[in-house]
Amino acid sequence: YENTLVHSAHASYRLPSVVALNKMVPLPDYAALSRNNIYLRDGYTCQYTGIKYPANELTLDHIIPRSKGGKSTWTNLVTCSKNVNFKKADKTLKESGYKLIRKPYVPTSWELRELGRKHPSVLLHESWENYVFYNAKLDEDT
């Protein structure tokens, strides 16, 4: 990251690896519905087989398919392996014979924050190591 440049119309700036905030930024009361947040909620685990996968081998599945009126909501989307999603296609659970290992739910923003901190991809650069704390007790003189 330290050699990455950000360009404006008239100048180029080195991308900082650490940004310090002047004040605490409160978490929103809601959890944003996103692919990554659903993967975090479901532990990067296919909700039909219970097998954990890397993100590039996962997709999202609509439990009630969109073709049958299903919406993109926290309670209708689950993490699914690409292979299982291909087999399930636009079938309902009853039609496909698949069963969910856990009922989907709406996580809190706090829960997603904690899940994200525990996930290995959160430390994107070694220079962040001194700034990301994983529930570790800080030294008295820190």
Side-chain angles (χ1 to χ4, degrees):
Y1 287 112
E2 51 274 341
N3 293 324
T4 303
L5 295 176
V6 177
H7 304 281
S8 73
H10 304 286
S12 295
Y13 304 94
R14 283 188 39 208
L15 185 67
S17 80
V18 175
V19 176
L21 301 177
N22 291 350
K23 61 183 177 178
M24 178 67 174
V25 178
L27 286 172
D29 294 334
Y30 62 91
L33 179 64
S34 70
R35 176 178 303 274
N36 189 54
N37 283 345
I38 292 172
Y39 289 174
L40 281 172
R41 178 199 65 188
D42 294 346
Y44 289 79
T45 302
C46 176
Q47 295 300 291
Y48 298 112
T49 65
I51 299 171
K52 190 173 257 202
Y53 291 93
N56 65 348
E57 294 181 32
L58 291 171
T59 187
L60 297 179
D61 178 58
H62 288 79
I63 299 166
I64 300 169
R66 288 188 296 177
S67 64
K68 294 183 167 63
K71 304 287 184 205
S72 293
T73 63
W74 279 108
T75 55
N76 193 47
L77 287 168
V78 293
T79 302
C80 183
S81 73
K82 289 180 178 179
N83 190 37
V84 170
N85 202 357
F86 179 77
K87 289 177 186 174
K88 183 177 174 279
D90 69 341
K91 299 179 186 93
T92 64
L93 292 178
K94 187 175 182 179
E95 292 168 340
S96 68
Y98 284 111
K99 289 185 170 60
L100 288 167
I101 61 171
R102 184 176 68 174
K103 185 178 177 183
Y105 64 96
V106 180
T108 64
S109 56
W110 177 260
E111 178 184 4
L112 287 176
R113 178 179 167 265
E114 291 305 305
L115 289 168
R117 289 177 70 154
K118 293 174 185 170
H119 195 269
S121 69
V122 76
L123 198 58
L124 298 174
H125 194 272
E126 65 270 1
S127 65
W128 296 6
E129 191 169 7
N130 293 327
Y131 303 94
V132 179
F133 298 103
Y134 298 92
N135 297 331
K137 185 177 178 183
L138 298 177
D139 295 334
E140 300 266 335
D141 57 338
T142 305

